[in-house]
Amino acid sequence: MTHYPAPVSTAPPEDAVVRATRALRIALLVCAGACVVLGLMGAALALLTGDDASLWPGLTLLGAGQLAGLVGAAVAGLGLRRVLTGSAPRDVTPRVRATLGRLGTALGAVLAVGAAAWILARPSAWVAVLACALVSAQLVAVLRFLRR
C-alpha cells in the first residue's frame, strides 16, 4: 500500500472573495450608517437650537463627519463592486484600507482645525462646538477600526 503525501493547498480563491466581500460590505454599511446617524444628529441639533447663530458651528462639524461617511461608503462600495466583478481581493482591499485610513486622518485634521476656528469665531458656543466635534470624531475611530 503506497501512501502519497497529502496535497499542499492554499485557501481557495473563493474563500478570499467571500472574506473580502464580507469585509467590504461591513465597511459600506458602517460608513453609510454613520452618515445617517450624523445627519439625524444635525437634524436634532437644528430642532433643539432654533436660532441660526448658534446652529452653524455644530452643523458644519457634523457635516464634515457626514461627508467623510459618504466618501467612506463610496470607497467601500466601489471596492465591493470591483471584487464582485472579478478583481483580485488582494489588489482591492489594501487600497480600500489605505483610503479609509487617509480619510480618517483627514477627518481628524478637519475637525481639529474646524473646532479651533469655531471656538475663536464664537467663543460663547465652545461647548456645542466641542460636543459636535467629538461626535464626528467617533467616525475617525470607526474608520481606523474598519482598516483592520
Side-chain angles (χ1 to χ4, degrees), residues 7-90:
V8 178
S9 67
T10 59
E14 295 85 23
D15 189 37
V17 171
V18 168
R19 284 193 319 255
T21 301
R22 183 180 327 123
L24 291 168
R25 186 180 64 237
I26 289 170
L28 171 65
L29 293 174
V30 167
C31 287
C35 180
V36 169
V37 168
L38 288 171
L40 291 174
M41 294 289 291
L45 180 67
L47 289 174
L48 292 174
T49 303
D51 64 342
D52 291 336
S54 60
L55 179 66
W56 287 109
L59 280 185
T60 56
L61 296 174
L62 290 174
Q66 194 173 22
L67 180 63
L70 281 174
V71 171
V75 166
L78 291 172
L80 179 62
R81 181 174 161 238
R82 287 189 61 205
V83 168
L84 291 176
T85 57
S87 294
R90 69 174 168 258

Side-chain angles (χ1 to χ4, degrees), residues 102-128:
R102 286 191 300 270
L103 182 63
T105 302
L107 176 61
V110 165
L111 290 174
V113 169
W118 276 117
I119 288 173
L120 289 174
R122 295 219 176 107
S124 62
W126 71 273
V127 173

